[in-house]
Amino acid sequence: MFKRFDTLIDTIISRMSLDEKIGQLNQICFSTDPKTIDHIKDMIRKGQVGSLILAASSTAGNDDNSSVNRELLNEFQHVAVNESPNKIPLVFARDVIYGHRTVYPIPLAQSCSFNSSLIEECYSDIAEEASSDGIHWTFSPMLDLCRDPRWGRIIETPGEDPFVAGKIAQAVIKGFQGNFEKGKLVACAKHFIGYGASEAGRDYHHTEISDYSLYNYYLPAFRSAVKSGVGTVMSSFNDINGENVGSSRFYMNDILREHLGFEGFVISDWGAVRLPLRQGTAVNDADCAEQCINAGTDMDMVESSYINNLKALVEEQRVAEQTIDKAVKRILRVKLAKGLFENPYCEAIVFDRQKHLQNSRKLAAESMVLLKNDNKTLPLEKDKNIILIGPFVNERRSLLGSWTLDGRAEETQNLYEAFCETVGKERISNSICGNADTIVLALGETNQMNGEAHSLADISVTQEQKELILRAKATGKRVVGVLFYGRPVALEDVEQYFDAILYAWHSGSCTAHAVCDILFGKTSPSGRLSVTFPKKTGHIPIYYNALRPGKTVNAYYGDVWQGALSACYIDGLANPMYPFGFGLTYTEFSYGEITAEKQELSLSDIENGESFKLKVSVKNIGEFSAKETVQLYVCDKVASVMRPLKELKGYLKKQIEPGEISDFEFELGKEQLGFYLKDGSFKLEKGEFDLYIGENCLTERKITVKII
Ligand code: BGC
């Protein structure tokens, strides 16, 4: 889709000097410092800048001193389109990750909503707000598959499942980019690839990813991003099996461009062109630049390795000028697609902020997961007194999560304020011995406890918060935990003390109101976990779509060996605290039998694109209207290589009224039944497939189909 501009681009490139071409590959930092402004203008005038990043530091999310200044952006653009050699517009980038002024739930939380259309709408809102501030290009969605909640950046990920990640990629990219019209942003699928697999959750660390895992687990989200027309991709900081990704032809060219068919451009991560030097596979900065440009990393984010070295590298014939031309071409494709040549300046856009806040509240409520609700503790009655305590009662900033640049804590209501609005101030006590039957305990981690370069070695609840839970339990009152975390927390030690647990995440501008919507029954909870919750840190990594070890009976989530569930560890049960796909609600659903249109299919028919349908009816047998997320899992029973016991291949979320029966229909074909071999080819094999449909990954409701 980006190639339609190529003839025009060839003409532009034919007029450009080598210096100007290299300038297009250079992204520099925005600044409001008067001395730096003149320097930046001078560089733009000389054609030395392709893009500006509007951020003050590399770990920008938790940074408070980064700002956008529309007038200044227009001044820079004015220099580019009037005074630079070929008048090529600049593209302005910023980390608009899951919100701008209106902040939506952190991506990990969003992925628990299993609601792609709402996510798409929210990202369209975000695009309006950010483009109104002059931003053209955002470094989102982050599509790193993550199985390790110690990693601080798990908050930005879509969780542990490739299918969910693919759906999120599509929704976010459609929402952000639309058709690149006014009010839209160019998206960036990041980090390509494998960054989320860093050993032990240590940020920027080494990864080992087999080819089977690469194709079947790590690439699907990027495959979906490319299919959705993503304009840009960011290379990652990590190495895979000892090879730096951003300087690897295999990853940046063979996989991204040839295997996935990506036509846009690649930006390095912050200063990542220099990584081979630190990793010991380059002798100097020039060597790094040579390796990265030859691999296919087109734009250098902020460290000037390209601008300082590429000209000499071309003169020394270490880099071909055609390689530079290719990179420029890919960058100009995106600038043209975004319409920057016709509309280089930013203008304010009229948008409905109230609608954005409503969407943010809806998505927050759909992202929160009810983990426990003994004896129907929830929903709470509005006319009863409540004790509201804990370190998150008055917290604002953390509710916005760790990667927000433009959200404002002072505009974010805290839980106390939302409770006052919902039930009235007079009903709320902040004393643990207050006159009430129920204690709502607001616990969690701050935004500074996660995010880039903020990993944790221990993901359990802090000692201080554990003590508070025990004190609450000792009162004999009912204890409702509302947990505000950016990652899964290990709850084994404390789960038993709660009557109910609502996992509220860091869910953005309307977190507190969304919590009240759920606690007081205005909305039934509908979030489902997109990531497994381990009982304790030592069980990491634990993920549902693992391969089956041979010695165990079931090997699914905590090995069952010779009848003992704890066989894999002798110091406790190792099955998850809460499995992938899990989440409760206020009503109950009853599933009917699964029916399949066909139970025997010919391999050649499916190879030729034939599909078949599976159906299940779900009845709401409780008293509340609620949404159910019906999940379809596939098990390829015997294959030429080991296959997981279950893989999610479809989900549908629908509101079902009490007494109502709703039909859920899934269509399956080659894509859902086949898999990638280690050479990257896709294969569908004959044999039996168990097709499970249910409420989470532990469902045993299945039907078997045969491919003959
Ligand atoms: C992060 C990226 C981010 C970039 C720009 C890097 O440190 O890894 O995700 O987009 O900085 O702020």
Side-chain angles (χ1 to χ4, degrees):
M1 69 181 279
F2 294 102
K3 287 190 175 164
R4 65 188 192 278
F5 302 105
D6 283 6
T7 319
L8 170 62
I9 294 172
D10 287 340
T11 317
I12 301 174
I13 291 180
S14 70
R15 294 198 295 253
M16 292 169 80
S17 66
L18 179 58
D19 284 319
E20 198 192 352
K21 289 177 196 172
I22 294 169
Q24 280 304 305
L25 318 187
N26 190 26
Q27 182 180 66
I28 62 168
C29 266
F30 173 78
S31 170
T32 47
D33 165 19
K35 279 189 233 129
T36 321
I37 291 174
D38 283 343
H39 176 64
I40 293 177
K41 284 188 181 165
D42 200 42
M43 286 182 75
I44 299 171
R45 199 169 286 120
K46 291 184 185 142
Q48 293 174 343
V49 184
S51 171
L52 285 175
I53 176 171
L54 318 177
S57 78
S58 66
T59 51
N62 271 326
D63 224 341
D64 288 333
N65 47 20
S66 160
S67 60
V68 187
N69 176 331
R70 202 165 52 204
E71 286 66 43
L72 191 52
L73 293 181
N74 278 340
E75 275 182 37
F76 288 144
Q77 193 67 294
H78 188 268
V79 178
V81 300
N82 288 289
E83 300 174 42
S84 76
N86 273 288
K87 307 187 176 12
I88 298 173
L90 300 162
V91 55
F92 299 128
R94 186 167 175 83
D95 287 285
V96 181
I97 306 297
Y98 50 90
H100 192 60
R101 176 92 171 252
T102 308
V103 181
Y104 296 74
I106 55 165
L108 182 60
Q110 283 175 29
S111 62
C112 295
S113 76
F114 285 80
N115 188 339
S116 304
S117 56
L118 182 55
I119 291 175
E120 184 181 328
E121 205 178 320
C122 291
Y123 278 87
S124 168
D125 298 347
I126 300 171
E128 284 181 347
E129 290 190 14
S131 31
S132 192
D133 268 352
I135 298 157
H136 304 132
W137 174 26
T138 170
F139 298 132
S140 171
M142 202 254 231
L143 301 174
D144 294 302
L145 187 94
C146 180
R147 296 162 170 173
D148 196 331
R150 289 170 296 185
W151 192 42
R153 301 197 76 171
I154 192 170
I155 81 127
E156 295 170 68
T157 76
E160 74 189 30
D161 184 66
F163 183 81
V164 172
K167 290 277 182 205
I168 298 274
Q170 189 184 17
V172 174
I173 291 161
K174 273 168 86 181
F176 267 149
Q177 292 191 167
N179 292 315
F180 294 113
E181 64 272 30
K182 191 172 159 193
K184 293 291 179 187
L185 297 175
V186 177
C188 180
K190 73 184 187 188
H191 305 84
F192 194 82
I193 189 148
Y195 182 31
S198 70
E199 266 183 359
R202 298 179 184 117
D203 208 358
Y204 315 129
H205 208 50
H206 167 71
T207 75
E208 292 276 334
I209 300 177
S210 70
D211 290 340
Y212 175 85
S213 287
L214 178 73
Y215 288 108
N216 289 289
Y217 292 119
Y218 290 91
L219 283 179
F222 288 89
R223 189 173 287 120
S224 162
V226 172
K227 228 171 147 185
S228 308
V230 73
T232 67
V233 165
M234 186 184 291
S235 67
S236 57
F237 284 131
N238 55 291
D239 71 282
I240 298 183
N241 311 334
E243 186 176 5
N244 170 266
V245 175
S247 59
S248 156
R249 271 182 219 245
F250 174 68
Y251 294 109
M252 303 320 298
N253 183 66
D254 304 0
I255 299 283
L256 179 61
R257 298 235 158 71
E258 283 171 19
H259 179 75
L260 299 186
F262 177 60
E263 293 173 359
F265 76 87
V266 173
I267 173 127
S268 77
D269 202 341
W270 187 288
V273 170
R274 289 229 181 118
L275 289 179
L277 187 56
R278 300 198 197 104
Q279 288 163 326
T281 51
V283 290
N284 54 27
D285 198 27
D287 203 6
C288 293
E290 174 186 353
Q291 291 182 26
C292 287
I293 193 76
N294 283 337
T297 297
D298 303 309
M299 190 180 272
D300 174 7
M301 187 189 285
V302 308
E303 282 218 12
S304 309
S305 299
Y306 280 3
I307 195 107
N308 289 341
N309 296 294
L310 285 183
K311 190 167 186 191
L313 288 168
V314 172
E315 283 161 5
E316 290 162 27
Q317 298 185 351
R318 287 163 64 185
V319 172
E321 187 157 353
Q322 292 92 308
T323 304
I324 311 270
D325 290 355
K326 268 195 206 162
V328 175
K329 179 179 253 180
R330 297 193 279 242
I331 291 166
L332 294 187
R333 279 176 184 168
V334 175
K335 289 189 174 182
L336 279 154
K338 177 70 189 112
L340 292 178
F341 283 79
E342 301 103 73
N343 296 305
Y345 297 107
C346 37
E347 308 160 31
I349 290 169
V350 183
F351 56 80
D352 181 352
R353 181 90 201 285
Q354 280 317 310
K355 182 197 135 225
H356 295 183
L357 287 165
Q358 275 163 17
N359 277 342
S360 167
R361 183 164 170 170
K362 261 199 243 166
L363 187 57
E366 291 215 15
S367 303
M368 295 178 184
V369 187
L370 183 64
L371 296 177
K372 184 173 181 181
N373 194 20
D374 282 0
N375 306 315
K376 300 194 177 163
T377 302
L378 297 178
L380 299 173
E381 289 167 59
K382 274 193 183 170
D383 54 2
K384 296 246 168 81
N385 291 348
I386 291 163
I387 296 164
L388 179 62
I389 54 169
F392 274 71
V393 171
N394 296 311
E395 179 62 26
R396 298 176 199 278
R397 171 62 187 86
S398 295
L399 306 184
L400 301 179
S402 65
W403 203 300
T404 174
L405 296 166
D406 300 279
R408 300 183 185 182
E410 66 280 11
E411 289 178 357
T412 309
Q413 266 152 320
N414 63 34
L415 200 59
Y416 176 69
E417 289 159 343
F419 262 66
C420 288
E421 256 183 56
T422 314
V423 295
K425 200 175 172 169
E426 63 289 356
R427 296 239 167 268
I428 303 159
S429 157
N430 63 2
S431 156
I432 205 161
C433 322
N435 174 26
D437 299 336
T438 306
I439 299 176
V440 173
L441 258 186
L443 307 173
E445 65 180 3
T446 67
N447 59 300
Q448 293 290 346
M449 296 301 287
N450 57 52
E452 188 171 350
H454 286 67
S455 292
L456 282 182
D458 181 0
I459 60 156
S460 46
V461 173
T462 62
Q463 194 51 35
E464 217 182 357
Q465 296 193 20
K466 269 185 199 159
E467 280 162 19
L468 188 56
I469 298 168
L470 287 173
R471 270 195 282 140
K473 182 66 189 169
T475 63
K477 300 176 195 292
R478 295 187 306 178
V479 182
V480 175
V482 182
L483 308 189
F484 300 93
Y485 285 88
R487 56 155 63 79
V489 66
L491 288 169
E492 186 181 38
D493 299 348
V494 293
E495 191 264 354
Q496 59 190 301
Y497 304 121
F498 292 107
D499 295 277
I501 302 174
L502 178 66
Y503 214 75
W505 304 104
H506 293 163
S507 288
S509 303
C510 303
T511 307
H513 277 102
V515 166
C516 288
D517 291 345
I518 292 179
L519 291 187
F520 295 99
K522 185 174 166 203
T523 309
S524 296
S526 66
R528 301 287 183 266
L529 296 178
S530 63
V531 63
T532 301
F533 273 46
K535 287 201 164 107
K536 50 168 63 121
T537 307
H539 293 169
I540 298 169
I542 179 167
Y543 49 95
Y544 88 96
N545 46 8
L547 299 176
R548 309 168 231 175
K551 279 196 91 164
T552 52
V553 174
N554 168 326
Y556 195 61
Y557 258 5
D559 298 347
V560 181
W561 191 57
Q562 296 184 354
L565 188 63
S566 61
C568 57
Y569 296 106
I570 53 170
D571 59 350
L573 290 181
N575 58 326
M577 189 79 235
Y578 304 107
F580 176 86
F582 176 80
L584 303 170
T585 187
Y586 294 155
T587 195
E588 264 182 77
F589 295 108
S590 145
Y591 280 66
E593 290 287 299
I594 306 170
T595 55
E597 205 178 16
K598 292 175 194 166
Q599 277 188 261
E600 228 175 59
L601 305 116
S602 100
L603 180 70
S604 60
D605 287 350
I606 301 207
E607 287 278 16
N608 291 328
E610 217 174 87
S611 59
F612 64 101
K613 289 189 178 124
L614 285 188
K615 242 196 216 164
V616 74
S617 300
V618 179
K619 183 172 182 187
N620 182 340
I621 53 166
E623 287 155 22
F624 289 83
S625 168
K627 287 185 176 174
E628 174 66 328
T629 300
V630 176
Q631 301 159 37
L632 165 75
Y633 295 88
V634 173
C635 170
D636 183 350
K637 288 173 77 176
V638 180
S640 55
V641 298
M642 281 168 66
R643 305 275 296 121
L645 208 58
K646 276 184 197 149
E647 288 180 303
L648 186 74
K649 291 294 175 185
Y651 58 81
L652 292 165
K653 185 174 189 176
K654 276 198 225 171
Q655 184 92 30
I656 312 178
E657 300 305 322
E660 190 194 345
I661 300 177
S662 189
D663 289 337
F664 290 77
E665 195 174 271
F666 295 94
E667 195 158 341
L668 280 102
K670 187 175 169 185
E671 209 183 306
Q672 289 74 26
L673 300 174
F675 60 97
Y676 287 89
L677 295 172
K678 58 185 180 187
D679 65 359
S681 59
F682 192 75
K683 187 148 190 232
L684 179 65
E685 293 181 344
K686 288 184 180 169
E688 287 192 349
F689 293 78
D690 282 338
L691 309 175
Y692 295 83
I693 300 186
E695 53 282 6
N696 63 57
C697 76
L698 296 182
T699 182
E700 294 193 347
R701 190 177 305 102
K702 67 173 182 187
I703 193 166
T704 305
V705 298
K706 211 170 180 181
I707 298 191
I708 48 169

